[in-house]
Amino acid sequence: MDGLLGIKLGMTQRFAADGRVVPVTLIRIGPCVVLQKKTVPNDGYSAVQIALEHALFGKKLPKAAAARIEAAGADRSATVLGEFRTGPNDDLEVGTRLGAEVFAASGRVRVTGLSKGKGFSGVMKRHGFHGGPKSHGSKFHRAPGAIGMCATPSRVLPGTRLPGHQGHARVTVRNLRVVEVDEGTNVVAVRGGVPGPCGGAVEVRKA
């Protein structure tokens, strides 16, 4: 099994064997229910579609997805769906429930989530511009500066760093070390930070 869906609970710390403080992020894995099984003869690859059961995500799904959730015996709150690759030794059937035991033997994982939205931001906050002089008399403080062109090419080039919507984008943090796995509560502690707010859905995959 390649990975599972989870909920970011927040950050805390753990103490290593040598006494060092290790910052960790707690992620509650699942409970995830297998909704659909894809095989090489039918689909060209081996994978499973899973749903995350969580009451916070009570959004309305299309009838086709809602029917698959009901057929698999999952809760109606299972509205966050994801697809993960499976290996040749994975024998998962529709209705199987999965949790933190998937990452019991994983050394490192990569976590994907939706980053926090910052709204409309200027160039100093969004791109790290230094800005203009702060002294009196200066009329150039936090503006982006001139971006105009001459007659050739007479346009603004694509990719120019300008003010705009910051955050709320799909972000992946790679090679996070798994510090602790609690199969009783389905909580995995990974070293470092992961994208998204507390309570946000994330994808946890084996690195």
Side-chain angles (χ1 to χ4, degrees), residues 2 16 37-38 40 66 102 108 146 149 154 157-158 169 172 174 201:
D2 182 46
K37 185 177 181 180
K38 298 191 176 183
V40 175
V102 175
R108 294 182 181 272
M149 293 288 191
S154 187
L157 297 178
T172 299
R174 302 177 184 274

Side-chain angles (χ1 to χ4, degrees), residues 84-156:
F84 297 89
R85 293 297 183 101
T86 56
N89 298 326
D90 293 329
D91 188 16
L92 300 174
E93 299 297 333
V94 174
T96 305
R97 293 180 178 271
L98 303 168
E101 68 277 358
V102 175
F103 303 100
S106 299
R108 294 182 181 272
V109 295
R110 65 180 190 270
V111 181
T112 302
L114 201 62
S115 64
K116 293 181 180 179
K118 305 300 178 75
F120 188 93
S121 302
V123 290
M124 292 183 68
K125 179 179 179 180
R126 191 183 187 199
H127 301 295
F129 282 20
H130 290 282
K134 307 299 187 295
S135 58
H136 294 288
S138 172
K139 296 182 180 180
F140 178 72
H141 298 295
R142 302 182 65 89
I147 61 170
M149 293 288 191
C150 297
T152 304
S154 187
R155 63 191 177 93
V156 177

Side-chain angles (χ1 to χ4, degrees), residues 35-71:
L35 299 183
Q36 185 180 7
K37 185 177 181 180
K38 298 191 176 183
T39 59
V40 175
N42 294 335
D43 305 285
Y45 64 100
S46 178
V48 290
Q49 185 188 69
I50 64 173
L52 173 64
E53 293 182 342
H54 199 277
L56 290 179
F57 306 104
K59 63 182 180 181
K60 189 175 181 180
L61 285 176
K63 289 185 177 181
R68 287 202 304 270
I69 290 175
E70 186 176 353

